[in-house]
Amino acid sequence: MKENYYDKAMSYDQMHKALKRVCRNVRWKDSVVGFEWNGPANICKLQDEVAGGRYVISEYQHFKVWEPKERDITATRIRDRLVQMSFCEAGLLEDITEHFIHDNCACQPGKGVDFALDRMTAHLRRYYQKHGNEGWALKCDIHHYFPETPHETAKAAMKKRIRDPEALKMVEQVIDSFEGDKGIGLGSQFAQLIELAVLDDLDHYIKEKLRVKHYIRYMDDFVLIHEDKEFLRRCLAEIRARVKALGLQLNQKTTMYPLRQGVKFLQWRFIVTDTGRILRIMPAKKTKRIRKRLKRLVEKEKAGEFPPGTAQQSFESWRANARRGDTKRIVRNMAAYYSGLKGVCNGIDRNARKVAQG
């Protein structure tokens, strides 16, 4: 790969291509439609600002999401997402991720939740072939990973990986755009890549120095599997020290437990049976949560507070996630429950019954 890709990132063709990408699936927003409608003029304006050193990142939008858990989101404006996407596609993404381990699973082309779940299944299957289902799992999680990441730690990770000095300046500008001397806002492509890279050295240490064969990470959630409990205790001490050196710390959810209890990863529990079958079990609390949510949404639909189809959309989203695991009975029961909730709502209960039957 060419070391300098700044010129390509700021070319009109590259930025126009990036504009189409950032507008995908969000054209229902008036601001996005307006920006894309005046795309050529907006691209030229951004080119002039960046080339003249006048480019300033717009004020962020802040909001919360509550699924799968409460998170503070720092949303990037479309003009800034366009610049970031253009740099990533021109070479920045390849620069940062080039030496990532295979089991660094989040926010990369060809990877994501499904990839991570499949990799966990593969690790457990290979472990069983050699050790059976006796062993230990060490599950680690970083305390407030995005909000607590020191800016200097983030910049050091970027300097080590980004070869284009102009691209590095752009990433450092994004890091400095977040208030204070720590905290990377969750909500932009640069932020995700930065946080993936912050723990990359730890990944290599675990795999290459500690020699942990069965290791997988999804952002700040990572799992080590080994037959020796004392070995994992030593690994935990080493991990704590290295995480502390980054200005971070493990949270209280970090724990070690017998493999027979099942491995918790990305809100699923992986069970290794005596016969070697790997089951993906959905926690009961997730089922209870969606039941309450569906009931509330149906009630609000009937009261006219939410548009028709809101509950159906929520149910379909839950069902798509549930089908990632061994959940046929759970999905069937939930479909029947949802059908009962819909009652006499015209037409919608028929959709739920079709789901229950198929």
Side-chain angles (χ1 to χ4, degrees), residues 326-350:
D326 299 277
T327 57
K328 287 185 178 179
R329 181 179 58 82
I330 293 174
V331 171
R332 184 172 60 249
N333 291 344
M334 187 64 68
Y337 171 77
Y338 174 61
S339 179
L341 285 177
K342 296 302 292 186
V344 296
C345 286
N346 294 333
I348 299 178
D349 58 327
R350 291 196 297 271

Side-chain angles (χ1 to χ4, degrees), residues 112-160:
V113 172
D114 288 320
F115 175 84
L117 297 177
D118 289 343
R119 286 298 297 161
M120 176 59 79
T121 297
H123 275 292
L124 290 172
R125 184 173 291 120
R126 291 170 186 168
Y127 180 91
Y128 177 85
Q129 290 172 354
K130 189 171 183 179
H131 304 286
N133 58 0
E134 297 293 339
W136 296 83
L138 171 59
K139 185 180 184 301
C140 300
D141 204 329
I142 306 294
H143 177 70
H144 293 167
Y145 186 42
F146 276 77
E148 296 293 331
T149 298
H151 289 181
E152 289 305 313
T153 298
K155 289 180 180 180
M158 294 298 97
K159 288 177 182 177
K160 185 176 180 179

Side-chain angles (χ1 to χ4, degrees), residues 100-106 108 111 115-116 118-120 122-123 126 196 203 207 212-219 221-223 265:
F100 281 4
I101 66 170
H102 186 59
D103 288 316
N104 181 343
C105 299
Q108 300 163 69
K111 295 186 178 182
F115 175 84
D118 289 343
R119 286 298 297 161
M120 176 59 79
H123 275 292
R126 291 170 186 168
L196 284 175
D203 292 339
K207 293 290 290 185
V212 178
K213 183 176 181 180
H214 302 291
Y215 168 76
I216 186 170
R217 176 165 74 90
Y218 192 94
M219 201 56 78
D221 186 357
F222 52 100
V223 177
F265 187 58

